[in-house]
Amino acid sequence: MNILKCLIIGSGPAGLTAAIYASRAGLSPVVYEGMQPGGQLTQTTEIENFPGYPNGTTGTEMMEDLHKQAARFGAEINWGIATKVDFSKRPFSVTIDDANEVLAHTVIIATGASAKYLGIADEQKYAGNGVSACATCDGFFYRKKTVAVVGGGDTACEEALYLASLCKKVYLIVRRNVLRASQVMQQRVFDAENIEVLFEHQTLGLTGDGVVEGANLVKFKGTDKEEQIHIDIDGFFLGIGHQPNSEVFKPYIETDAAGYILTQGKSQQTNIEGIYAAGDVADPTYRQAITSAGTGCKAAIEAERYLRDKGI
């Protein structure tokens, strides 16, 4: 069986940037696109904060550009999901779609993280048209408008505070009667004049003609005080966290309590030499396309140096 020099799992900004660098280094990388070809950016409409696009672009267009660039330098890009791995021996073994075994001397894990959703149908209906899981990515489009953030932890409070610096008004929809966020974050939220915290509220659905224009909520659900209310909003942000797509690697790769892959110091190397992690699967903090691309670059350079040092 042919042994690859470099296998890249995932095709978001991290995976495709790694493919560009690995290709130019002569590693002939093979990329498997994963469960969401192009990554989370394909669910984002407008992108204005990625360098090199002075007039902005869409997530889909940007990922198509990265795909073409990686292919131009010789990267082989395939459909497929890593469903099983064996990192206990070398070369490393990765099974794609429960069928095809791939062997590689180095592996770059760039499987990303998936935003957690409430599970209501309207989240998909208005995806990219008022529903977002990233205030830093999309908040700019809601300047001087009214938005809502769902969640009661640090993530939701951070999103609400960021949006409060841009928006006219921010509703923070909290299922419980308290915030779970740290005391510092709670105080900042309470001190923000344009944030209104809606305790013991849950979202029933969203309304609007093509774009989000409002949200239907239920207050004090399941009690004798239960009532339904409506709020007028222009955007609906999920602040209930992300789930890193690392489950298949956990028997071998160290992660933190939330599942984010741990890397060594300033390196992208995991606890296993020759295996690297890049992008959101190893980043609980920034989760931006540009930072993901940067770690993809680092991972590819480190893989090339590892192979060179090993004489492979």
Side-chain angles (χ1 to χ4, degrees):
M1 181 182 293
N2 181 44
I3 302 173
L4 304 177
K5 284 188 176 183
C6 182
L7 171 64
I8 300 170
I9 307 172
S11 60
L16 291 181
T17 300
I20 291 167
Y21 274 79
S23 297
R24 296 182 76 250
L27 303 188
S28 302
V30 173
V31 180
Y32 281 94
E33 292 188 301
M35 65 182 71
Q36 190 174 17
Q40 293 184 77
L41 279 188
T42 56
Q43 294 184 324
T44 301
T45 49
E46 296 293 326
I47 295 176
E48 294 186 331
N49 57 1
F50 196 94
Y53 292 92
N55 298 317
T57 185
T58 68
T60 300
E61 288 172 344
M62 194 178 87
M63 294 318 301
E64 287 176 352
D65 287 345
L66 287 176
H67 187 287
K68 291 174 184 176
Q69 192 171 359
R72 173 194 166 199
F73 290 116
E76 179 184 327
I77 304 173
N78 302 312
W79 289 86
I81 299 172
T83 51
K84 179 182 177 182
V85 302
D86 184 354
F87 294 159
S88 66
K89 59 187 179 182
R90 297 171 192 271
F92 304 116
S93 170
V94 177
T95 301
I96 304 297
D97 295 332
D98 292 318
N100 302 318
E101 183 184 24
V102 179
L103 300 179
H105 292 296
T106 63
V107 177
I108 297 175
I109 300 169
T111 46
S114 301
K116 295 179 181 178
Y117 287 84
L118 298 174
I120 60 175
D122 289 334
E123 289 171 315
Q124 296 303 315
K125 177 181 178 181
Y126 294 103
N129 291 297
V131 172
S132 172
C134 181
T136 310
C137 308
D138 300 327
F140 180 81
F141 303 108
Y142 298 90
R143 287 173 300 169
K144 299 181 181 180
K145 295 185 177 182
T146 299
V147 300
V149 178
V150 179
D154 279 334
T155 297
C157 288
E158 288 173 5
E159 300 271 279
L161 286 164
Y162 177 81
L163 290 165
S165 69
L166 300 170
C167 300
K168 178 176 65 176
K169 183 180 181 65
V170 178
Y171 291 104
L172 183 59
I173 303 170
V174 184
R175 181 172 57 87
R176 300 168 62 184
N177 62 353
V178 294
L179 293 173
R180 294 181 291 103
S182 61
Q183 287 298 318
V184 172
M185 293 300 296
Q186 289 189 41
Q187 195 58 51
R188 288 175 182 169
V189 166
F190 294 141
D191 289 344
E193 294 183 358
N194 59 337
I195 296 179
E196 181 179 347
V197 183
L198 302 178
F199 285 114
E200 295 188 84
H201 284 67
Q202 297 181 49
T203 307
L204 294 175
L206 304 173
T207 62
D209 183 12
V211 297
V212 170
E213 297 174 350
N216 294 324
L217 312 177
V218 57
K219 183 179 181 182
F220 302 130
K221 184 177 181 180
T223 72
D224 55 5
K225 297 187 293 181
E226 179 177 317
E227 62 174 309
Q228 294 189 16
I229 65 170
H230 178 85
I231 57 174
D232 293 323
I233 57 173
D234 303 292
F236 185 80
F237 289 80
L238 283 302
I240 53 180
H242 286 71
Q243 180 64 48
N245 301 317
S246 61
E247 195 65 33
V248 71
F249 310 110
K250 283 184 177 180
Y252 306 96
I253 300 298
E254 292 179 357
T255 69
D256 67 10
Y260 289 94
I261 293 177
L262 299 175
T263 54
Q264 309 296 304
K266 295 181 180 180
S267 167
Q268 298 307 126
Q269 182 181 296
T270 67
N271 57 297
I272 298 178
E273 190 179 25
I275 299 181
Y276 308 89
D280 287 7
V281 74
D283 177 14
T285 305
Y286 301 103
R287 297 195 300 269
Q288 298 297 301
I290 191 65
T291 51
S292 292
T295 56
C297 161
K298 289 171 60 179
I301 290 173
E302 291 171 21
E304 189 274 330
R305 289 175 178 171
Y306 167 83
L307 292 168
R308 184 180 60 205
D309 290 345
K310 296 294 182 182
I312 299 173

